[in-house]
Amino acid sequence: MNSAIVWMIIGMGIVTYLPRLLPFVLLGGVELPSFWQGVLKNVPYAVLGALIIPDVFFIQDDLSFGVIGFVAAVITAWLGANVMIVVLAAVAALSLYSLFV
């Protein structure tokens, strides 16, 4: 393997790992104010929405497929489920939809 590729892979690993490591190192013993805890608690849902919403409108075959997945994800998230449960609920809803259509 080319050494440039190896160094590129190592660099990408470092760049990916540092943003995850730094908050633990810098804020290890610090208790964040309740406002910031609330903001950070909602970040996964905001990211999930940013990933899902554009794809709902760019489905070529069946727009209802995207809408059903989106609605299932929104309802599950609204009920306060974990992000993994939200994704699994959307997948389950779309699996059921594809069985009957």
Side-chain angles (χ1 to χ4, degrees):
M1 191 181 309
N2 191 354
S3 67
I5 294 174
V6 172
W7 283 110
M8 188 178 302
I9 292 171
I10 291 170
M12 287 187 294
I14 291 170
V15 167
T16 301
Y17 187 68
L18 275 179
R20 298 169 188 207
L21 175 70
L22 286 178
F24 288 115
V25 171
L26 298 177
L27 301 173
V30 176
E31 180 72 26
L32 292 175
S34 61
F35 171 76
W36 289 111
Q37 288 179 2
V39 168
L40 293 175
K41 184 178 179 183
N42 292 317
V43 167
Y45 296 109
V47 171
L48 185 65
L51 292 173
I52 290 176
I53 290 174
D55 290 335
V56 168
F57 301 108
F58 290 116
I59 292 178
Q60 300 294 327
D61 297 333
D62 188 8
L63 183 63
S64 63
F65 197 77
V67 171
I68 289 171
F70 174 72
V71 168
V74 166
I75 290 172
T76 311
W78 187 267
L79 294 174
N82 187 350
V83 175
M84 281 304 293
I85 303 298
V86 171
V87 172
L88 290 174
V91 169
L94 292 175
S95 296
L96 288 173
Y97 174 72
S98 64
L99 280 175
F100 296 113
V101 172

